Amino acid sequence: EAPLLVTLLAFPVSAFFVLLVALVTVYRKYGAIFTFSKFESLTTLMKEARSFALFNLLRQVATRSDILMLGLLIGMGAVGIYNAAYRIVFFVMVLSYFISLTILPTASTLFSESKERFASFFQQTMDVVMLIAIPVAVGLFLVANEVIDLLYGTSFAASAGVAFFNILINVLGVFLTASNQQSVRTSSQWIASMGNLSLNLIFISLWQEMGAAIATLISEGVVVLYLIYRIRNSTRFPNC
């Protein structure tokens, strides 16, 4: 039990130190954060940030509900098998998230200066993303069985497609945020959350770990289609 407790404590402790470093960095650059004179502007900022907070909450539900439901419906053994496969894909997902964050400042600046340049940058970015994401997803799919079998003694490859869709969701979401359409990004996660919960309830009962992967793959794919639809019908993305 002691090693498990240490493992469980590692995340909150590391998160606390990350928060501490962030607070110190912000204080050195901008001064005191919580003062009476700034309270009104802080509450306004928090109201404006509700959509971002809701998005992150729903994103966690959409991407973690499969693990919870596997544990409830099948057992912790199934969770271990599923997580073994998912950890490999998770690295790609986290990497794509941080890469997408580097795009945000440029996209935001271009949107405020020129909608045409913003749309052109969007097209160029998506071209590059597709050139990278497709080979990564295909490569993961082809080698996933061998890697999982070598490391964990089981076979599982269906989660590779989730990485492909997640890369697209991260990049599309950044451009929606840059064009002040965070509400569209948040609504997409309502779809992902409800869809993933419903599909997991059905598919896990039928196909266990593979069912969870298929449910996530379908819900993520639907989100990508929804985001593309909203972007193509938005006046903020001319000629896209």
Side-chain angles (χ1 to χ4, degrees):
E1 295 183 0
L4 177 60
L5 180 61
V6 172
T7 302
L8 292 175
L9 288 174
F11 179 76
V13 170
S14 62
F16 172 77
F17 279 107
V18 170
L19 175 62
L20 186 62
V21 171
L23 288 174
V24 171
T25 303
V26 171
Y27 176 77
R28 288 180 175 177
K29 190 169 184 179
Y30 301 106
I33 304 173
F34 303 106
T35 62
F36 183 78
S37 61
K38 293 182 179 180
F39 181 75
E40 184 177 350
S41 61
L42 182 62
T43 55
T44 301
L45 181 62
M46 291 178 65
K47 290 179 181 179
E48 294 176 350
R50 284 183 299 184
S51 182
F52 291 90
L54 184 58
F55 165 80
N56 282 290
L57 174 62
L58 292 172
R59 189 64 186 152
Q60 292 302 312
V61 173
T63 57
R64 297 291 185 268
S65 60
D66 47 3
I67 298 174
L68 174 62
M69 295 185 70
L70 267 174
L72 293 174
L73 297 175
I74 306 299
M76 296 309 295
V79 173
I81 294 173
Y82 187 77
N83 264 325
Y86 207 81
R87 289 303 90 186
I88 295 176
V89 177
F90 185 72
F91 172 76
V92 178
M93 294 166 61
V94 171
L95 184 62
S96 71
Y97 170 74
F98 285 108
I99 291 175
S100 66
L101 289 181
T102 65
I103 302 172
L104 182 58
T106 302
S108 300
T109 301
L110 290 176
F111 180 76
S112 62
E113 294 178 350
S114 171
K115 301 298 187 295
E116 288 72 21
R117 291 177 61 195
F118 172 76
S120 176
F121 180 61
F122 170 73
Q123 292 284 13
Q124 293 172 6
T125 301
M126 291 307 300
D127 289 342
V128 173
V129 166
M130 294 301 289
L131 286 174
I132 296 174
I134 292 177
V136 167
V138 172
L140 282 173
F141 180 81
L142 292 176
V143 305
N145 277 338
E146 288 73 15
V147 172
I148 296 298
D149 186 63
L150 175 64
L151 296 177
Y152 302 99
T154 188
S155 180
F156 192 73
S159 57
V162 177
F164 173 74
F165 287 135
N166 194 268
I167 292 172
L168 295 182
I169 289 172
N170 284 335
V171 176
L172 292 171
V174 163
F175 281 94
L176 287 168
T177 300
S179 58
N180 197 26
Q181 296 185 89
Q182 178 63 27
S183 60
V184 175
R185 196 182 186 192
T186 303
S187 64
S188 73
Q189 292 313 302
W190 278 110
I191 297 173
S193 300
M194 297 303 102
N196 210 0
L197 286 169
S198 302
L199 292 173
N200 273 312
L201 187 61
I202 300 171
F203 289 173
I204 288 176
S205 300
L206 295 174
W207 302 302
Q208 290 80 48
E209 301 95 332
M210 184 64 72
I214 294 173
T216 302
L217 184 65
I218 293 175
S219 61
E220 295 286 274
V222 170
V223 169
V224 169
L225 293 176
Y226 172 76
L227 292 177
I228 291 175
Y229 170 78
R230 293 299 299 265
I231 286 174
R232 289 183 64 88
N233 289 274
S234 173
T235 56
R236 304 181 189 190
F237 291 82
N239 303 319
C240 288

